[in-house]
Amino acid sequence: MKRSGAGPTVLIAGAGVAGLTTALALHRAGVPCLVAEAVSHFDPIGAGINILPHATARLHALGLESELAKRAVETRESVFFNRFGQLIFREPAGRHAGFPHAQYSIHRADLHDVLLTAVRERLGPDAVLTGHRLIRVTQRPGGVTAHFDGRGELDAEVLVGADGIHSAVRRQLFPDEGEPRYSGVTMWRGVSTWPSFLSGASMVRAGWLTTGKLVVYPVRDLPEQQLVNWVAELETPRGAHRDWTRRGELDDFLPAFADWRFDWLDVPAMLAAASQILLFPMVDQDPLPRWSHGRVTLLGDSAHPMVPRGSNGAGQAILDAAVLAECLAAQPGDPVAALEEYDRRRRPPTSEIVLLNRRTPPDAILREVYERTGDRPFRHIDDVVSQTYLAEIAARYRVATGQVRTA
């Protein structure tokens, strides 16, 4: 890599949301970088992603919000129901709740395309090397060498491991870490073309894990309909290996939702309308004692894989990228110190979110009602729990994850 800016040359392992956002943030800060990705071509895989306002603010600073708004649905509200379709709690989201930036719901493939297009336009068509699977990294005085499977080596001054939940960088730094921690819950994900429901921009959480929990929200507006993302969750014995592309079967979870027919959504019909279903065990890993090791650091899922509750996985990776760029630009002559500062600023808050997502994510609202009612319909929600108490649960999570309102 050749130096072309004020900061150290940075090699980013991984061209997912985390790696591409990091490249854009570094470029904006004047730090030269290159992205190396394991896959040889990008397929439109995955399902929906929610980008919370604090992450949208960082994408706005990178000049991406207008393009994001064209591809996404701006979320208006967050709504909670029990499995009988009874409303538990509703609150506005994003700008509708007084945040300076929107909350967006978007298909992962659309978000990835926005980021990849921007990287190639701003950094050049060769800024992302595909087919480069990182197997290990070695450090030497003044730099690092990345070793790739069948693709030789690349030298840089800093290496950022943004290579996801199966991170080769994390595995090298922590070879004795062990297997991920299974939460006891499996999720099935899909997208269905479906008529709009509720506000047409509602993020819905319903039911509870013991008998079946559903998260559903639109991610793309279509002529007369929407592309709707859904996540079905059930407590299950562990069985699946963690792989975002693993296929699932409708019959394995549909019975839990067979009678979920509400006046605003026919859940079993919507689930059956999906063109494909993905299966994923809800796992995370204990927070690490450190991310930065000399001139090597971790970022995104490789640094803090978390249970996917609270819509914070992609958002925290975006925040990581912004802070890393700030740190490297602030100390261009001392990348080791810059990575230590990045570690100091980002590791503690993301560690807390990993643990918070285990204990009290926003869907703890559903757990509260499930336990208080014994999984039975209620006459009125105020007879079960106050709206003030439910609002406090939601507010505590926002504060803990760094979401600050302006009003």
Side-chain angles (χ1 to χ4, degrees), residues 91 312 352-353 356-357 359-362 364-365 367-368 372 388-403 405:
E91 66 174 359
N312 255 287
E352 177 56 28
I353 294 170
L356 188 63
N357 278 3
R359 300 189 311 263
T360 317
I365 288 172
R367 180 182 63 202
E368 194 76 25
R372 292 188 183 210
T388 300
Y389 181 67
L390 297 180
E392 288 173 354
I393 294 176
R396 283 197 297 269
Y397 187 84
R398 283 194 299 271
V399 171
T401 56
Q403 302 172 63
R405 298 177 191 265

Side-chain angles (χ1 to χ4, degrees), residues 96-156:
H96 305 280
F99 289 95
H101 293 278
Q103 176 175 333
Y104 288 114
S105 297
I106 188 170
H107 195 288
R108 181 194 178 279
D110 289 342
L111 175 59
H112 189 266
D113 185 59
V114 168
L115 295 171
L116 182 61
T117 299
V119 168
R120 286 174 168 165
E121 287 178 350
R122 299 177 191 183
L123 280 72
D126 299 323
V128 179
L129 303 177
T130 57
H132 280 66
R133 182 177 299 279
L134 181 72
I135 54 175
R136 64 188 175 92
V137 57
T138 55
Q139 298 199 51
R140 51 184 166 70
V144 298
T145 299
H147 306 264
F148 298 95
D149 185 9
R151 289 299 187 105
E153 303 172 350
L154 285 173
D155 293 330

